[in-house]
Each structure stands twice: as structure tokens, then as C-alpha cells.
Amino acid sequence: MADLRDLVLEAHGAAKWKRFRRIEGDMSIVGILWARKGWPDVLKSVHVTADIAEQQLSYQPFTAEGLRSFYRPDLVAIDTLDGKRLKQRTNPRAAANCENRICA
């Protein structure tokens, strides 16, 4: 089975993707999800940076000029552009599973 996996990855250019560390782009992400949360234009004009190897994602600006979001599977945070951490939540998936329940 590993041979098949390797063949598929090779056919789709996996070796080429390994050369890249980061993907960046300017985006406009709007829609009903953010509007329902009370932030209809929070991601209307943002610069998105994705670190492929480290599985990290950042939006800038986030909620206000001078702030950026930071996400990786074990941590979500809001930072200033100079790196000062304003808010954070470790293990966010566990926190999401605790809504409406008491969790230790």
C-alpha cells in the first residue's frame, strides 16, 4: 500500500510542494458565518500567511489595525504586529468540545 501512496504523491507533485515553506495572499473572506458572529467584515481585506511545514495560519489585520490572528492546532491567539500576545487559548479543540458542559 505504501508503494501506491508514494506513486500517487509523486504523480501529484508532492516533491515540488516540499520545496515551499509558506503560502501568502491577500483575501476577502465574508459571508453569513462572520455576520452571525457579529463581525461581518472582520476578514474583508486581510493578508493571509500559511506556514505549510508548521501547520500555522495568520490573518492580518484581525479585528483591528495593528493586530493579527495566529492559529496552529494546539493554540489560537491574537497578537500585536510586534509580537506581543494579547489573548490566547491553548488546546482550542478541547475548549470547543466543552461548550454547554463542565469540563476539567
Side-chain angles (χ1 to χ4, degrees):
M1 197 59 122
D3 293 336
L4 176 60
R5 179 202 63 212
D6 294 342
L7 180 64
V8 170
L9 289 172
E10 182 180 330
H12 288 277
K16 291 179 185 177
W17 278 101
K18 287 183 180 181
R19 295 181 314 173
F20 300 103
R21 170 113 182 137
R22 184 182 347 192
I23 299 172
E24 294 188 44
D26 294 317
M27 303 178 95
S28 179
I29 305 168
V30 295
I32 195 163
L33 174 68
W34 287 106
R36 289 185 69 184
K37 291 176 177 274
W39 295 89
D41 295 328
V42 73
L43 300 177
K44 188 172 185 171
S45 179
V46 294
H47 186 78
V48 180
T49 304
D51 186 317
I52 300 166
E54 299 294 324
Q55 196 178 352
Q56 295 179 5
L57 186 67
S58 179
Y59 295 94
Q60 177 184 326
F62 186 75
T63 68
E65 287 297 322
L67 301 179
R68 70 175 167 225
S69 68
F70 177 81
Y71 164 84
R72 65 177 194 236
D74 64 330
L75 176 72
V76 292
I78 298 176
D79 298 337
T80 62
L81 297 183
D82 62 1
K84 181 181 176 190
R85 177 107 339 134
L86 301 177
K87 294 182 179 183
Q88 73 175 28
R89 174 168 281 184
T90 57
N91 200 3
R93 184 165 295 196
N97 291 335
C98 287
E99 286 187 25
N100 301 321
R101 296 187 312 225
I102 298 174
C103 295

XYZ file of all heavy atoms in Angstrom:
830
model
N 0.822 -1.190 0.000
C 0.000 0.000 0.000
C 0.869 1.258 0.000
O 0.498 2.249 -0.594
C -0.923 -0.036 1.211
C -2.074 0.921 1.105
S -3.098 0.615 -0.321
C -4.647 0.348 0.435
N 2.011 1.210 0.676
C 2.906 2.366 0.710
C 3.401 2.699 -0.694
O 3.567 3.868 -1.035
C 4.074 2.105 1.645
N 3.627 1.671 -1.532
C 4.072 1.918 -2.905
C 3.021 2.699 -3.682
O 3.351 3.622 -4.415
C 4.373 0.597 -3.620
C 5.579 -0.119 -3.036
O 6.428 0.564 -2.428
O 5.662 -1.349 -3.185
N 1.753 2.345 -3.498
C 0.670 3.055 -4.173
C 0.603 4.507 -3.694
O 0.484 5.439 -4.495
C -0.664 2.356 -3.934
C -1.888 3.058 -4.516
C -1.761 3.209 -6.029
C -3.154 2.287 -4.156
N 0.710 4.691 -2.381
C 0.691 6.052 -1.830
C 1.814 6.882 -2.424
O 1.605 8.013 -2.871
C 0.828 5.996 -0.309
C 0.831 7.393 0.327
C 1.480 7.424 1.680
N 2.886 7.054 1.539
C 3.587 6.406 2.459
N 3.042 6.046 3.596
N 4.859 6.103 2.269
N 3.015 6.333 -2.444
C 4.162 7.059 -2.981
C 3.981 7.383 -4.457
O 4.343 8.474 -4.913
C 5.449 6.262 -2.760
C 5.799 6.132 -1.288
O 5.266 6.930 -0.472
O 6.591 5.236 -0.945
N 3.400 6.450 -5.212
C 3.141 6.668 -6.631
C 2.151 7.825 -6.833
O 2.357 8.702 -7.674
C 2.595 5.387 -7.267
C 2.269 5.466 -8.762
C 3.530 5.724 -9.573
C 1.591 4.179 -9.205
N 1.101 7.845 -6.023
C 0.097 8.913 -6.124
C 0.713 10.261 -5.747
O 0.508 11.264 -6.436
C -1.131 8.594 -5.245
C -2.055 9.792 -5.146
C -1.874 7.380 -5.790
N 1.468 10.302 -4.662
C 2.103 11.550 -4.239
C 3.079 12.060 -5.295
O 3.124 13.256 -5.594
C 2.809 11.368 -2.905
C 1.889 11.199 -1.692
C 2.703 10.842 -0.458
C 1.064 12.449 -1.464
N 3.827 11.164 -5.883
C 4.778 11.551 -6.923
C 4.029 12.083 -8.148
O 4.416 13.107 -8.734
C 5.641 10.356 -7.320
C 6.686 10.697 -8.357
C 7.531 9.490 -8.730
O 7.726 8.605 -7.878
O 7.974 9.450 -9.881
N 2.944 11.441 -8.518
C 2.163 11.859 -9.686
C 1.564 13.247 -9.493
O 1.373 13.988 -10.454
C 1.063 10.840 -9.971
N 1.272 13.610 -8.255
C 0.654 14.905 -7.981
C 1.658 15.976 -7.562
O 1.272 17.047 -7.101
C -0.442 14.752 -6.916
C -1.640 14.047 -7.449
N -2.618 14.685 -8.163
C -1.995 12.740 -7.409
C -3.543 13.818 -8.523
N -3.181 12.632 -8.083
N 2.941 15.678 -7.689
C 3.959 16.691 -7.462
C 4.301 16.955 -6.006
O 4.666 18.069 -5.660
N 4.183 15.979 -5.138
C 4.474 16.178 -3.714
C 5.903 16.670 -3.498
O 6.151 17.500 -2.623
C 4.231 14.885 -2.940
N 6.841 16.203 -4.287
C 8.237 16.634 -4.135
C 8.368 18.136 -4.389
O 9.110 18.829 -3.695
C 9.139 15.846 -5.081
N 7.612 18.648 -5.342
C 7.651 20.087 -5.619
C 7.107 20.884 -4.440
O 7.638 21.923 -4.086
C 6.856 20.397 -6.876
C 7.500 19.882 -8.134
C 6.654 20.200 -9.340
C 7.265 19.577 -10.583
N 6.446 19.796 -11.766
N 6.029 20.404 -3.830
C 5.432 21.112 -2.695
C 6.376 21.157 -1.504
O 6.356 22.099 -0.726
C 4.105 20.473 -2.280
C 2.983 20.947 -3.130
C 2.403 20.280 -4.169
C 2.316 22.196 -3.039
N 1.421 21.046 -4.724
C 1.342 22.231 -4.051
C 2.448 23.295 -2.206
C 0.511 23.311 -4.243
C 1.611 24.379 -2.395
C 0.657 24.379 -3.405
N 7.204 20.157 -1.333
C 8.131 20.127 -0.196
C 9.167 21.246 -0.275
O 9.781 21.589 0.716
C 8.818 18.770 -0.096
C 7.885 17.695 0.393
C 8.591 16.371 0.557
C 7.621 15.322 1.061
N 8.251 14.039 1.255
N 9.350 21.841 -1.452
C 10.293 22.959 -1.591
C 9.755 24.220 -0.932
O 10.510 25.115 -0.598
C 10.539 23.272 -3.061
C 11.229 22.186 -3.819
C 11.442 22.607 -5.247
N 10.204 23.207 -5.781
C 10.097 23.796 -6.947
N 11.134 23.911 -7.716
N 8.955 24.300 -7.359
N 8.445 24.301 -0.771
C 7.827 25.513 -0.260
C 7.590 25.430 1.228
O 7.239 24.395 1.762
C 6.500 25.778 -0.974
C 6.662 25.957 -2.455
C 6.330 24.939 -3.325
C 7.176 27.135 -2.970
C 6.494 25.096 -4.688
C 7.343 27.306 -4.333
C 7.003 26.273 -5.197
N 7.760 26.544 1.896
C 7.558 26.620 3.340
C 6.316 27.447 3.674
O 5.650 27.192 4.655
C 8.792 27.258 3.979
C 8.635 27.610 5.417
C 9.518 26.771 6.255
N 9.298 27.125 7.646
C 9.203 26.234 8.584
N 9.327 24.979 8.298
N 8.996 26.601 9.808
N 6.011 28.440 2.828
C 4.943 29.371 3.165
C 4.129 29.736 1.928
O 4.667 29.833 0.831
C 5.568 30.628 3.752
C 4.570 31.607 4.231
C 5.121 32.877 4.780
N 6.541 32.889 5.049
C 7.140 33.824 5.740
N 6.448 34.798 6.252
N 8.427 33.798 5.946
N 2.846 29.971 2.162
C 1.950 30.496 1.137
C 1.360 31.786 1.699
O 0.905 31.810 2.843
C 0.817 29.502 0.813
C 1.376 28.190 0.289
C -0.160 30.114 -0.183
C 0.338 27.104 0.127
N 1.353 32.848 0.899
C 0.790 34.129 1.323
C -0.138 34.658 0.249
O 0.052 34.378 -0.930
C 1.904 35.154 1.552
C 2.824 34.832 2.695
C 3.778 35.969 2.985
O 3.318 37.130 3.005
O 4.964 35.687 3.179
N -1.133 35.431 0.685
C -2.024 36.055 -0.273
C -2.951 37.050 0.392
O -3.182 36.998 1.600
N -3.445 37.963 -0.417
C -4.439 38.924 0.055
C -5.813 38.359 -0.275
O -6.046 37.895 -1.399
C -4.229 40.275 -0.614
C -2.904 40.901 -0.201
O -2.594 40.845 1.003
O -2.195 41.428 -1.065
N -6.716 38.400 0.700
C -8.022 37.775 0.535
C -9.139 38.658 1.075
O -8.890 39.555 1.879
C -8.067 36.432 1.272
C -7.003 35.452 0.857
S -7.098 33.944 1.811
C -8.070 32.971 0.689
N -10.343 38.323 0.660
C -11.550 38.899 1.226
C -12.454 37.722 1.578
O -12.923 37.012 0.695
C -12.240 39.815 0.219
O -13.414 40.354 0.784
N -12.644 37.510 2.873
C -13.427 36.370 3.348
C -14.644 36.928 4.078
O -14.532 37.433 5.197
C -12.588 35.479 4.284
C -11.292 35.055 3.591
C -13.398 34.276 4.745
C -10.277 34.416 4.503
N -15.780 36.865 3.432
C -17.012 37.401 4.008
C -18.115 36.354 3.870
O -17.967 35.375 3.160
C -17.439 38.714 3.318
C -16.423 39.802 3.562
C -17.646 38.509 1.828
N -19.193 36.579 4.571
C -20.316 35.673 4.467
C -21.108 35.611 5.745
O -20.827 36.309 6.729
N -22.087 34.750 5.747
C -23.039 34.687 6.850
C -22.405 34.229 8.164
O -22.824 34.654 9.236
C -24.249 33.824 6.477
C -25.372 34.081 7.464
C -23.882 32.366 6.407
C -26.717 33.619 6.990
N -21.389 33.375 8.116
C -20.767 32.887 9.355
C -20.248 34.046 10.203
O -20.579 34.161 11.377
C -19.632 31.917 9.052
C -18.826 31.468 10.270
C -19.684 30.595 11.176
C -17.581 30.744 9.855
N -19.433 34.918 9.592
C -18.875 36.036 10.359
C -19.955 37.046 10.722
O -19.911 37.648 11.790
C -17.728 36.686 9.591
C -16.516 35.816 9.605
C -16.028 35.078 8.568
C -15.672 35.547 10.724
N -14.925 34.375 8.985
C -14.686 34.643 10.299
C -15.656 35.974 12.044
C -13.688 34.174 11.136
C -14.647 35.506 12.883
C -13.683 34.615 12.425
N -20.936 37.245 9.852
C -22.038 38.167 10.168
C -22.826 37.667 11.370
O -23.190 38.450 12.259
C -22.947 38.320 8.951
N -23.084 36.380 11.450
C -23.820 35.822 12.593
C -23.042 35.960 13.888
O -23.616 36.033 14.962
C -24.152 34.350 12.342
C -25.229 34.185 11.267
C -25.625 32.778 11.101
N -26.353 32.368 12.316
C -26.773 31.152 12.530
N -26.549 30.211 11.648
N -27.413 30.860 13.626
N -21.723 35.995 13.793
C -20.895 36.162 14.983
C -20.740 37.642 15.364
O -20.093 37.967 16.340
C -19.511 35.550 14.749
C -19.534 34.038 14.653
C -18.147 33.508 14.335
C -18.127 32.015 14.294
N -17.915 31.411 15.594
N -21.334 38.539 14.542
C -21.245 39.965 14.827
C -20.027 40.649 14.229
O -19.714 41.782 14.563
N -19.308 39.960 13.349
C -18.103 40.506 12.724
C -18.221 40.385 11.198
O -17.424 39.709 10.562
C -16.875 39.719 13.182
C -16.563 39.831 14.620
C -17.034 39.040 15.628
C -15.714 40.790 15.232
N -16.522 39.445 16.827
C -15.699 40.526 16.612
C -14.957 41.855 14.752
C -14.963 41.285 17.509
C -14.224 42.602 15.654
C -14.237 42.313 17.004
N -19.170 41.053 10.571
C -19.418 40.819 9.147
C -18.240 41.138 8.223
O -18.072 40.490 7.204
C -20.615 41.715 8.838
C -20.615 42.750 9.904
C -20.035 42.087 11.126
N -17.417 42.106 8.576
C -16.314 42.499 7.693
C -14.937 42.275 8.301
O -13.954 42.842 7.833
C -16.461 43.975 7.318
C -17.707 44.222 6.479
O -18.086 43.313 5.719
O -18.285 45.320 6.598
N -14.850 41.434 9.321
C -13.580 41.266 10.027
C -12.465 40.749 9.110
O -11.303 41.076 9.307
C -13.748 40.367 11.279
C -13.950 38.916 10.914
C -12.571 40.536 12.214
N -12.813 39.962 8.109
C -11.802 39.428 7.193
C -12.025 39.924 5.767
O -11.660 39.264 4.806
C -11.821 37.890 7.228
C -11.528 37.246 8.576
C -11.656 35.727 8.486
C -10.156 37.634 9.087
N -12.611 41.112 5.640
C -12.945 41.632 4.315
C -11.703 41.928 3.478
O -11.691 41.731 2.276
C -13.810 42.876 4.434
C -14.338 43.338 3.107
C -15.343 44.439 3.265
C -15.933 44.777 1.910
N -17.043 45.690 2.037
N -10.655 42.401 4.091
C -9.417 42.710 3.382
C -8.249 42.327 4.276
O -7.807 43.123 5.102
C -9.370 44.208 3.047
O -8.164 44.505 2.390
N -7.778 41.102 4.131
C -6.725 40.597 5.007
C -5.583 39.990 4.198
O -5.763 39.555 3.066
C -7.247 39.520 5.998
C -8.224 40.109 6.978
C -7.848 38.341 5.283
N -4.432 39.971 4.828
C -3.273 39.259 4.289
C -3.172 37.949 5.067
O -3.111 37.961 6.297
C -1.999 40.087 4.454
C -0.823 39.460 3.800
N -0.614 39.527 2.438
C 0.192 38.735 4.301
C 0.485 38.873 2.140
N 0.998 38.386 3.261
N -3.188 36.842 4.354
C -3.156 35.522 4.983
C -1.784 34.905 4.755
O -1.253 34.930 3.638
C -4.249 34.600 4.400
C -4.216 33.237 5.051
C -5.613 35.241 4.554
N -1.209 34.366 5.828
C 0.072 33.675 5.752
C -0.113 32.279 6.321
O -0.592 32.128 7.449
C 1.150 34.415 6.571
O 1.243 35.762 6.099
C 2.497 33.737 6.436
N 0.256 31.278 5.535
C 0.166 29.884 5.977
C 1.554 29.270 5.950
O 2.225 29.286 4.918
C -0.771 29.092 5.067
N 1.997 28.772 7.082
C 3.263 28.047 7.186
C 2.931 26.574 6.987
O 2.302 25.955 7.840
C 3.906 28.292 8.542
C 5.282 27.674 8.649
O 5.462 26.508 8.203
O 6.178 28.324 9.190
N 3.323 26.035 5.858
C 2.941 24.674 5.492
C 3.559 23.640 6.425
O 2.883 22.745 6.908
C 3.359 24.382 4.038
C 2.665 25.361 3.099
C 3.033 22.948 3.659
C 3.253 25.368 1.704
N 4.842 23.765 6.681
C 5.551 22.764 7.477
C 5.094 22.751 8.933
O 4.999 21.698 9.549
C 7.056 22.995 7.404
N 4.811 23.924 9.487
C 4.446 24.020 10.899
C 2.939 23.999 11.139
O 2.490 24.068 12.264
C 5.031 25.303 11.506
C 6.535 25.366 11.459
C 7.178 24.310 12.344
O 6.633 24.006 13.415
O 8.233 23.793 11.949
N 2.142 23.960 10.076
C 0.678 23.976 10.159
C 0.209 25.169 11.001
O -0.478 25.038 12.001
C 0.136 22.663 10.720
C -1.337 22.476 10.464
C -1.867 21.155 10.979
O -1.129 20.285 11.415
N -3.165 21.001 10.931
N 0.617 26.357 10.543
C 0.247 27.606 11.209
C -0.415 28.530 10.190
O -0.068 28.509 9.008
C 1.477 28.314 11.773
C 2.155 27.555 12.863
C 3.391 28.276 13.371
O 3.706 29.396 12.985
N 4.120 27.618 14.246
N -1.344 29.346 10.690
C -2.074 30.270 9.830
C -2.243 31.592 10.553
O -2.469 31.619 11.763
C -3.448 29.671 9.505
C -4.328 30.393 8.510
C -3.711 30.328 7.121
C -5.698 29.746 8.493
N -2.133 32.702 9.799
C -2.286 34.019 10.397
C -3.056 34.929 9.446
O -2.863 34.873 8.227
C -0.904 34.619 10.672
O -1.034 35.907 11.230
N -3.952 35.748 10.015
C -4.678 36.770 9.277
C -4.252 38.130 9.827
O -4.207 38.320 11.040
C -6.192 36.638 9.482
C -6.796 35.385 8.931
C -6.961 34.267 9.732
C -7.228 35.322 7.609
C -7.535 33.109 9.239
C -7.807 34.173 7.109
C -7.955 33.070 7.919
O -8.523 31.928 7.432
N -4.004 39.067 8.889
C -3.588 40.400 9.321
C -4.192 41.439 8.385
O -4.032 41.283 7.173
C -2.074 40.469 9.277
C -1.500 41.801 9.621
C 0.013 41.797 9.454
O 0.685 40.818 9.679
N 0.552 42.917 9.024
N -4.902 42.445 8.852
C -5.275 42.708 10.237
C -6.400 41.780 10.687
O -7.125 41.224 9.869
C -5.772 44.155 10.205
C -6.287 44.336 8.819
C -5.431 43.463 7.937
N -6.539 41.647 11.988
C -7.586 40.808 12.556
C -8.282 41.575 13.668
O -7.668 41.892 14.673
C -7.015 39.503 13.103
C -8.070 38.541 13.568
C -8.819 37.843 12.644
C -8.321 38.358 14.909
C -9.808 36.961 13.063
C -9.296 37.481 15.340
C -10.045 36.780 14.410
N -9.512 41.881 13.493
C -10.419 42.631 14.373
C -10.086 44.110 14.467
O -10.968 44.892 14.787
C -10.553 42.039 15.786
O -9.352 42.179 16.513
C -10.971 40.580 15.738
N -8.845 44.513 14.224
C -8.465 45.926 14.251
C -7.092 46.079 13.603
O -6.307 45.127 13.552
C -8.413 46.447 15.690
N -6.806 47.273 13.114
C -5.472 47.542 12.569
C -4.434 47.309 13.665
O -4.677 47.599 14.826
C -5.379 48.980 12.062
C -6.141 49.227 10.784
C -5.615 48.415 9.611
O -4.391 48.234 9.474
O -6.462 47.948 8.823
N -3.303 46.768 13.278
C -2.232 46.535 14.237
C -2.310 45.202 14.950
O -1.461 44.888 15.779
N -3.330 44.392 14.626
C -3.475 43.074 15.251
C -3.461 41.983 14.195
O -3.827 42.209 13.045
C -4.791 42.982 16.035
C -4.996 43.986 17.161
C -6.362 43.766 17.806
C -3.888 43.880 18.185
N -3.053 40.797 14.604
C -3.105 39.640 13.713
C -3.543 38.419 14.508
O -3.295 38.312 15.716
C -1.770 39.400 13.040
C -0.701 38.913 13.969
C 0.575 38.565 13.218
N 1.642 38.414 14.179
C 2.843 38.909 14.054
N 3.164 39.594 12.991
N 3.745 38.732 14.977
N -4.184 37.502 13.815
C -4.562 36.237 14.441
C -3.421 35.246 14.252
O -2.581 35.394 13.365
C -5.833 35.682 13.797
O -5.567 35.290 12.454
N -3.398 34.257 15.086
C -2.394 33.193 14.997
C -3.104 31.889 15.307
O -3.817 31.791 16.299
C -1.267 33.435 16.015
C -0.243 32.347 16.026
C 0.761 32.311 15.077
C -0.293 31.346 16.979
C 1.710 31.296 15.085
C 0.641 30.327 16.999
C 1.650 30.300 16.046
N -2.947 30.905 14.441
C -3.572 29.604 14.658
C -2.573 28.500 14.385
O -1.822 28.543 13.413
C -4.768 29.389 13.720
C -5.171 27.940 13.672
C -6.013 27.414 14.633
C -4.656 27.084 12.707
C -6.342 26.068 14.630
C -4.980 25.732 12.703
C -5.816 25.233 13.664
O -6.126 23.899 13.668
N -2.579 27.539 15.244
C -1.990 26.225 14.994
C -2.860 25.255 15.785
O -3.639 25.681 16.654
C -0.511 26.166 15.330
C -0.145 26.342 16.738
C 1.378 26.183 16.932
N 1.595 26.046 18.339
C 2.388 26.816 19.053
N 3.102 27.751 18.472
N 2.495 26.643 20.346
N -2.808 23.980 15.533
C -3.761 23.056 16.156
C -3.823 23.113 17.682
O -4.888 22.915 18.260
C -3.286 21.684 15.678
C -2.630 21.962 14.370
C -1.965 23.301 14.542
N -2.726 23.450 18.338
C -2.717 23.452 19.804
C -2.860 24.848 20.419
O -2.838 24.997 21.632
C -1.434 22.808 20.322
C -0.190 23.593 19.935
O -0.192 24.249 18.879
O 0.791 23.559 20.702
N -3.024 25.894 19.582
C -3.054 27.257 20.105
C -3.731 28.196 19.115
O -3.462 28.142 17.913
C -1.619 27.749 20.335
C -1.435 29.188 20.782
C -1.885 29.362 22.233
C 0.009 29.604 20.624
N -4.613 29.061 19.624
C -5.119 30.197 18.846
C -4.832 31.447 19.660
O -4.873 31.422 20.888
C -6.624 30.089 18.513
C -6.882 28.961 17.552
C -7.460 29.939 19.750
N -4.514 32.546 18.961
C -4.124 33.751 19.689
C -4.374 34.993 18.846
O -4.547 34.916 17.631
C -2.645 33.674 20.061
N -4.371 36.132 19.527
C -4.359 37.438 18.879
C -3.111 38.153 19.379
O -2.881 38.255 20.588
C -5.628 38.247 19.206
C -6.861 37.513 18.676
C -5.531 39.642 18.600
C -8.170 38.175 19.015
N -2.299 38.615 18.418
C -1.023 39.270 18.715
C -1.008 40.667 18.117
O -1.714 40.952 17.147
C 0.151 38.503 18.082
C 0.320 37.092 18.598
O -0.144 36.806 19.721
O 0.924 36.279 17.876
N -0.150 41.529 18.672
C 0.146 42.792 18.011
C 1.148 42.492 16.903
O 1.775 41.424 16.877
C 0.739 43.810 18.997
O 1.974 43.294 19.505
C -0.219 44.112 20.137
N 1.320 43.424 15.991
C 2.250 43.206 14.886
C 3.698 43.087 15.343
O 4.515 42.481 14.657
C 2.115 44.310 13.842
C 0.751 44.379 13.157
C 0.750 45.463 12.093
C 0.341 43.047 12.576
N 4.015 43.624 16.519
C 5.386 43.493 17.034
C 5.564 42.231 17.883
O 6.603 42.040 18.508
C 5.825 44.740 17.791
C 4.973 45.031 19.016
O 4.047 44.257 19.311
O 5.233 46.047 19.690
N 4.549 41.361 17.915
C 4.695 40.066 18.568
C 4.169 39.954 19.985
O 4.277 38.901 20.594
N 3.593 41.007 20.531
C 3.041 40.930 21.892
C 1.733 40.141 21.860
O 0.829 40.427 21.087
C 2.790 42.328 22.445
C 2.250 42.314 23.862
C 2.005 43.729 24.360
C 1.367 43.670 25.738
N 0.903 44.997 26.154
N 1.640 39.138 22.692
C 0.453 38.289 22.753
C -0.603 38.946 23.630
O -0.385 39.231 24.804
C 0.857 36.924 23.333
C -0.252 35.978 23.519
C -0.382 34.805 22.597
N 0.247 34.813 21.321
C 0.956 33.807 20.812
N 1.146 32.721 21.508
N 1.458 33.873 19.611
N -1.793 39.225 23.058
C -2.875 39.866 23.792
C -3.845 38.860 24.398
O -4.276 39.015 25.533
C -3.641 40.817 22.874
C -2.823 41.939 22.252
C -3.691 42.768 21.317
C -2.204 42.806 23.337
N -4.205 37.850 23.612
C -5.113 36.800 24.081
C -4.668 35.489 23.480
O -4.121 35.455 22.374
C -6.555 37.075 23.623
C -7.181 38.287 24.226
C -8.619 38.420 23.738
C -9.266 39.647 24.363
N -10.677 39.765 23.969
N -4.943 34.410 24.210
C -4.636 33.099 23.651
C -5.512 32.035 24.284
O -6.050 32.222 25.374
C -3.173 32.734 23.853
C -2.796 32.361 25.271
C -1.346 31.896 25.352
O -0.502 32.294 24.560
N -1.056 31.047 26.301
N -5.662 30.949 23.567
C -6.356 29.777 24.096
C -5.549 28.559 23.666
O -5.333 28.330 22.481
C -7.770 29.670 23.558
C -8.421 28.346 24.004
C -9.869 28.312 23.746
N -10.496 29.078 24.819
C -11.794 29.207 24.957
N -12.613 28.659 24.113
N -12.296 29.902 25.944
N -5.062 27.826 24.639
C -4.353 26.592 24.337
C -5.365 25.467 24.201
O -6.452 25.512 24.787
C -3.324 26.250 25.430
O -3.994 26.168 26.683
C -2.230 27.299 25.502
N -5.021 24.484 23.423
C -5.864 23.323 23.185
C -7.295 23.736 22.816
O -8.255 23.364 23.490
C -5.853 22.409 24.410
C -6.280 21.004 24.058
O -6.536 20.689 22.893
N -6.373 20.159 25.058
N -7.469 24.520 21.748
C -8.784 25.059 21.408
C -9.826 23.998 21.078
O -11.006 24.197 21.344
C -8.505 25.954 20.200
C -7.227 25.459 19.636
C -6.443 24.926 20.798
N -9.425 22.883 20.530
C -10.396 21.843 20.198
C -11.073 21.318 21.460
O -12.278 21.115 21.494
C -9.730 20.706 19.441
C -10.726 19.659 18.993
C -10.161 18.752 17.975
N -9.897 19.562 16.790
C -9.671 19.068 15.595
N -9.648 17.780 15.418
N -9.439 19.849 14.574
N -10.324 21.121 22.529
C -10.917 20.652 23.786
C -11.865 21.698 24.356
O -12.921 21.367 24.888
C -9.828 20.321 24.799
N -11.499 22.980 24.219
C -12.364 24.043 24.720
C -13.676 24.078 23.945
O -14.743 24.281 24.522
C -11.657 25.380 24.627
N -13.621 23.872 22.643
C -14.836 23.861 21.825
C -15.743 22.695 22.217
O -16.956 22.818 22.197
C -14.470 23.770 20.345
N -15.162 21.582 22.601
C -15.946 20.417 22.996
C -16.576 20.596 24.374
O -17.446 19.829 24.758
C -15.083 19.153 22.997
C -14.684 18.753 21.589
O -15.374 19.081 20.626
N -13.575 18.082 21.471
N -16.150 21.605 25.120
C -16.646 21.818 26.478
C -17.823 22.791 26.534
O -18.380 23.003 27.605
C -15.526 22.351 27.382
S -14.313 21.100 27.779
N -18.195 23.406 25.422
C -19.302 24.344 25.458
C -20.553 23.658 25.984
O -20.866 22.532 25.628
C -19.563 24.921 24.063
C -18.501 25.923 23.676
C -18.843 26.622 22.375
O -20.031 26.693 22.039
O -17.898 27.072 21.717
N -21.257 24.363 26.839
C -22.508 23.878 27.456
C -22.307 22.667 28.359
O -23.247 21.969 28.682
C -23.559 23.542 26.379
C -23.873 24.744 25.531
O -23.959 25.855 26.027
N -24.021 24.535 24.234
N -21.088 22.409 28.753
C -20.792 21.308 29.678
C -19.722 21.784 30.657
O -19.013 22.736 30.394
C -20.270 20.082 28.949
C -21.243 19.468 28.008
C -20.703 18.168 27.476
N -19.340 18.325 27.017
C -18.879 17.846 25.872
N -19.657 17.172 25.075
N -17.630 18.013 25.530
N -19.567 21.064 31.725
C -18.477 21.340 32.649
C -17.331 20.406 32.281
O -17.494 19.201 32.264
C -18.909 21.113 34.111
C -20.047 22.086 34.445
C -17.732 21.284 35.053
C -20.660 21.852 35.808
N -16.187 20.977 31.966
C -15.036 20.165 31.594
C -13.876 20.488 32.530
O -13.708 21.613 32.962
C -14.612 20.472 30.169
S -15.868 20.015 28.966
N -13.093 19.500 32.780
C -11.929 19.691 33.652
C -10.743 20.091 32.848
O -10.632 19.865 31.703
C -11.634 18.411 34.416
